[in-house]
Amino acid sequence: MLIDIRDLYKIYNEGQESEVRALDGVSLQIDQGEFVAIVGASGSGKSTMMNVLGCLDVPTRGEYVLNGTDVTSLKDKELARIRNREIGFIFQGYNLLQDLNALDNVILPLIYRGTSVFEREEIAMAALARVGMDDRAHHRPSQMSGGQQQRVAIARAIATHPPIIMADEPTGALDSKTGRHVLGILQQLYREGTTVLLITHDDGIAATAPRVVRLSDGKIVKDEHQEVEWL
Amino acid sequence: MNLMQAFKMAFKSIASKKMRSFLTMLGIIIGVASVVIMVSVVQGMNKRSMERFEAMGDNKIEVYAYQYYETSGSVSELLYEYCLGMQDLVMGVTPQVDVWREITIKYGAKTFSTQNWDDWEKRISIQLGSDQFGVCNNYTLGGGRELSFLDIDKTNKVCVLGGGAKTLLFDFVDPVGETIFINNQPFLVVGWYEPSGVEGMSSMDNVILLPYTFNRTLNDNQQIQQYVVKAKSAEATTLAIAKLKAFLGGFITEGENGFFNVYSNNDWSSQVQEQSLMQSLVLGAIAGISLLVGGIGIMNIMLVTVTERTREIGIRKAIGAERKSIIVQFLIESAVICGIGGLLGIGLGSMGSLIAGKFLLQGMKLWPSATITVGAFAFSVALGVLFGLYPAIKASSLQPVDALRAE
């Protein structure tokens, strides 16, 4: 079991009039090498789910065991290590550093990982080549289209070869053709053995994942396997 | 992530945000430079006035005495004899006459005038004094001899040149034994004084000293009214002033047959010192304000970028940066920006000081004081680092998701 959450809550303004239960007692198990789409309408708690699973946020209460480690008890240093080595993030808004070129953006997680200075560039270029962006290595994000930026962001996510990739609405800001290309890359990663979590509100996009978990009002309402359209 | 890497990352970040880095630096550059210049100018002015006092000499007593009718003999002779009688207190006494009549001075093809007001640097004044003129006015003999008592008694046509007059007339030739023409009368140069060495004080060096007995011919025999008595120490000055007042009071009754005044420039110098202290305080306050304004500039630009940087920190945390490495990176980044800005400010301030010295203080070579420079530098850098570090400390303690949410 790679990801194991039990009875997880994320509650904002708890006990007050304006209390919001973004995650309301969720339990979910994901095995290594799965491709899971987490689907739900806006406000269903799916983004909160990814933030908690990705150690970008802490749950209000509940259990979260990642690869055998109880994450809820970890300090900043260990959480940083998990974010760096275990998980690669792909965001809807790309979240590239605007002042660095594509190559330096991809190198960044390798620096935090402590990869030797001699290997970094080679590894980063390989990751860029993977997403077909090696010819744009020295362009800044502002000089690239949305699809190109997202591909650089994917290269950054896979540069450290993390066992898990988490993508939060990765195609949300892209046209359908570029979106399909990005989804194709995720499926490719899945076929190579990476665990992929795809967060989306769009059932069409969720159709690319073999397992779909549907969230509504902070609760899991459906969890099923399906036939997949390979891109 | 090691320190070397943190440095590299900081430099990369500075280089990639040139505008913000420059604006931050600008606050520091202006703050440091203005403090350095202000303080240098004040210190230069103080130094200049102290130099003037030192050049004129301490313990100098100025005597002003005037008789409606010279009844009891010449004051010059009486004063001279009286001062000889208190040699335990007094080093010398001399009449001090600056001849205001137009007089021409010639040597070879060169002609100078006492009335050349157009070119101050080339005006030579004729001073009348005794054999103790040099001692009283703090001149050092550079060559030859002083006037002698006999020169005065016999009204010998001899003269001693001030350092400036010597250069104007003779360049670097030894003038002793040469003859110059003063109003077409030949005068033998018997000695010369070293230049006072104070910039902007040519009036003190462009002088020719003649025996005061020439007062009769060169100064229309006007009554000599000013004298200088040189005392041996500050205490001796006080005593001598009291004695001189009593002595002059013995034959001059104020308002009845003349008047007199005795004072020393020791009082004056302490007054000027007080004044320059006031100047220091005022200009120091102005400099402090500009440093503060510079500091507020730094603060502003740093705080304005907090949200932008908060997002950056969120991204860095999401891809695996520890809190520590983010803070170290921002610390180095701020320190480097502020350090460079501070150094540029010191450079600019030093240049400004030199320019201010050239135009405000007659070409004085003005170098900023090390203490003030280091102080201003340290203050600006501390401020820059503090406010540069602020977003890092604040944002790095947020959950990554909250930092990422910053718009």
Side-chain angles (χ1 to χ4, degrees):
Chain A
M1 196 89 69
L2 185 61
I3 290 170
D4 184 5
I5 58 175
R6 284 175 201 278
D7 217 15
L8 204 70
Y9 290 86
K10 180 70 187 180
I11 306 170
Y12 297 99
N13 304 327
E14 190 170 14
Q16 293 174 27
E17 194 98 11
S18 55
E19 181 181 287
V20 175
R21 293 179 167 238
L23 292 179
D24 196 4
V26 176
S27 298
L28 179 67
Q29 285 76 40
I30 297 171
D31 279 323
Q32 184 151 3
E34 276 197 90
F35 185 172
V36 182
I38 297 171
V39 198
S42 153
S44 61
K46 60 186 188 304
S47 280
T48 308
M49 179 87 140
M50 177 184 117
N51 291 335
V52 171
L53 290 179
C55 301
L56 297 174
D57 206 352
V58 286
T60 309
R61 56 183 170 268
E63 263 180 66
Y64 176 16
V65 177
L66 174 66
N67 209 5
T69 315
D70 177 11
V71 170
T72 48
S73 64
L74 295 183
K75 299 264 188 314
D76 173 76
K77 196 181 157 91
E78 291 106 1
L79 288 173
R81 195 187 145 84
I82 288 177
R83 289 193 289 263
N84 183 242
R85 302 197 165 206
E86 309 292 332
I87 306 166
F89 292 100
I90 301 164
F91 300 95
Q92 179 173 6
Y94 327 130
N95 278 341
L96 298 172
L97 292 185
Q98 295 298 313
D99 300 307
L100 300 181
N101 64 30
L103 181 62
D104 285 330
N105 264 294
V106 178
I107 283 178
L108 215 51
L110 296 169
I111 292 175
Y112 289 123
R113 184 184 182 133
T115 306
S116 141
V117 67
F118 306 105
E119 294 173 277
R120 270 181 220 152
E121 193 167 325
E122 202 182 322
I123 295 174
M125 281 308 291
L128 281 169
R130 212 38 243 273
V131 295
M133 287 298 292
D134 46 339
D135 56 335
R136 301 267 169 161
H138 298 284
H139 286 55
R140 290 196 174 198
S142 57
Q143 298 163 318
M144 292 185 274
S145 71
Q148 290 171 328
Q149 288 187 60
Q150 192 59 296
R151 277 146 72 193
V152 172
I154 293 171
R156 181 180 66 184
I158 62 175
T160 54
H161 297 289
I164 308 167
I165 291 284
M166 294 191 184
D168 186 1
E169 301 276 11
T171 60
L174 305 176
D175 62 68
S176 62
K177 186 171 166 254
T178 352
R180 285 171 70 82
H181 184 74
V182 166
L183 292 170
I185 295 172
L186 291 181
Q187 285 188 337
Q188 179 62 30
L189 287 167
Y190 159 68
R191 282 195 293 256
E192 288 163 12
T194 308
T195 310
V196 179
L197 258 68
L198 172 65
I199 282 85
T200 181
H201 68 282
D202 186 334
D203 290 334
I205 290 166
T208 57
R211 180 180 170 192
V212 178
V213 173
R214 187 170 297 276
L215 275 177
S216 180
D217 293 328
K219 291 189 168 77
I220 293 176
V221 292
K222 206 160 95 181
D223 184 351
E224 60 185 15
H225 291 262
Q226 63 181 17
E227 282 300 313
V228 171
E229 172 200 0
W230 298 105
L231 299 173
Chain B
M1 195 173 66
N2 60 22
L3 208 62
M4 190 62 201
Q5 194 52 54
F7 262 104
K8 273 189 190 163
M9 201 175 266
F11 274 108
K12 197 157 225 165
S13 177
I14 291 168
S16 66
K17 300 184 183 88
K18 292 192 182 67
M19 194 59 187
R20 202 199 60 222
S21 307
F22 174 72
L23 286 175
T24 311
M25 275 185 203
L26 201 62
I28 292 174
I29 293 172
I30 291 171
V32 171
S34 57
V35 169
V36 165
I37 294 173
M38 291 277 189
V39 173
S40 300
V41 168
V42 172
Q43 285 177 336
M45 289 195 311
N46 289 358
K47 191 170 155 229
R48 167 59 43 82
S49 42
M50 285 326 288
E51 269 179 357
R52 289 191 179 185
F53 278 111
E54 272 161 29
M56 284 192 273
D58 293 332
N59 307 324
K60 192 168 153 183
I61 301 168
E62 306 224 8
V63 178
Y64 180 80
Y66 180 74
Q67 286 179 292
Y68 299 150
Y69 311 101
E70 283 193 87
T71 48
S72 30
S74 136
V75 176
S76 310
E77 278 158 33
L78 288 170
L79 202 62
Y80 194 88
E81 267 169 43
Y82 182 72
C83 286
L84 280 182
M86 48 176 190
Q87 278 187 338
D88 50 333
L89 300 177
V90 165
M91 288 164 75
V93 57
T94 182
Q96 188 93 355
V97 180
D98 192 337
V99 179
W100 283 81
R101 242 183 68 185
E102 172 151 28
I103 288 171
T104 54
I105 300 116
K106 280 188 194 166
Y107 175 72
K110 293 176 186 170
T111 306
F112 294 92
S113 164
T114 55
Q115 296 290 318
N116 183 8
W117 303 110
D118 299 332
D119 193 350
W120 194 263
E121 298 283 322
K122 289 193 172 157
R123 172 185 174 254
I124 295 180
S125 71
I126 298 289
Q127 304 277 334
L128 303 179
S130 76
D131 50 328
Q132 288 151 13
F133 181 88
V135 174
C136 291
N137 287 294
N138 220 33
Y139 286 111
T140 316
L141 203 62
R145 63 170 177 86
E146 298 267 10
L147 296 179
S148 72
F149 180 72
L150 265 177
D151 292 332
I152 290 153
D153 201 34
K154 304 282 184 199
T155 324
N156 286 338
K157 286 183 179 169
V158 294
C159 63
V160 177
L161 304 180
K166 175 192 170 240
T167 311
L168 286 174
L169 286 161
F170 292 94
D171 291 325
F172 297 102
V173 176
D174 184 6
V176 177
E178 298 288 324
T179 302
I180 61 172
F181 289 86
I182 295 174
N183 274 2
N184 295 321
Q185 304 246 20
F187 278 74
L188 180 69
V189 178
V190 295
W192 54 276
Y193 294 126
E194 296 282 5
S196 64
V198 182
E199 290 160 40
M201 286 283 278
S202 58
S203 63
M204 209 178 139
D205 290 323
N206 290 359
V207 298
I208 296 176
L209 171 67
L210 307 181
Y212 72 84
T213 35
F214 279 99
N215 190 48
R216 191 182 305 274
T217 49
L218 286 178
N219 206 24
D220 305 328
N221 203 21
Q222 283 179 44
Q223 194 182 137
I224 295 175
Q225 295 171 12
Q226 253 184 295
Y227 306 88
V228 170
V229 177
K230 177 83 169 177
K232 284 184 169 165
S233 66
E235 296 82 55
T237 308
T238 322
L239 268 170
I241 287 174
K243 284 193 164 193
L244 284 166
K245 278 182 176 167
F247 169 68
L248 290 167
F251 58 93
I252 299 174
T253 311
E254 289 239 23
E256 217 163 274
N257 62 341
F259 37 83
F260 67 91
N261 198 2
V262 183
Y263 56 90
S264 92
N265 64 0
N266 286 11
D267 311 338
W268 194 30
S269 102
S270 66
Q271 243 178 21
V272 170
Q273 264 178 305
E274 253 173 61
Q275 234 175 22
S276 59
L277 185 71
M278 278 297 294
Q279 281 175 347
S280 308
L281 286 177
V282 170
L283 282 181
I286 295 173
I289 289 169
S290 51
L291 192 60
L292 201 68
V293 171
I296 291 169
I298 299 167
M299 222 154 78
N300 253 329
I301 194 75
M302 289 295 196
L303 291 182
V304 159
T305 53
V306 163
T307 37
E308 175 199 336
R309 304 226 74 181
T310 301
R311 199 173 162 78
E312 178 192 332
I313 290 165
I315 295 171
R316 285 179 185 274
K317 284 199 83 165
I319 59 175
E322 288 172 32
R323 185 156 192 240
K324 195 185 78 190
S325 35
I326 286 173
I327 291 176
V328 167
Q329 182 209 330
F330 273 60
L331 177 68
I332 294 172
E333 211 180 299
S334 303
V336 167
I337 288 181
C338 298
I340 293 172
L343 290 178
L344 288 176
I346 289 174
L348 191 70
S350 305
M351 251 161 48
S353 298
L354 283 174
I355 292 168
K358 190 165 171 58
F359 291 107
L360 296 179
L361 294 166
Q362 292 94 25
M364 187 182 205
K365 282 214 167 52
L366 213 57
W367 284 109
S369 115
T371 350
I372 295 301
T373 307
V374 170
F377 180 81
F379 179 76
S380 310
V381 169
L383 211 64
V385 168
L386 196 70
F387 286 98
L389 211 50
Y390 170 76
I393 290 173
K394 202 165 163 250
S396 64
S397 60
L398 292 174
Q399 288 299 330
V401 66
D402 294 322
L404 277 171
R405 232 173 251 147
E407 287 301 334

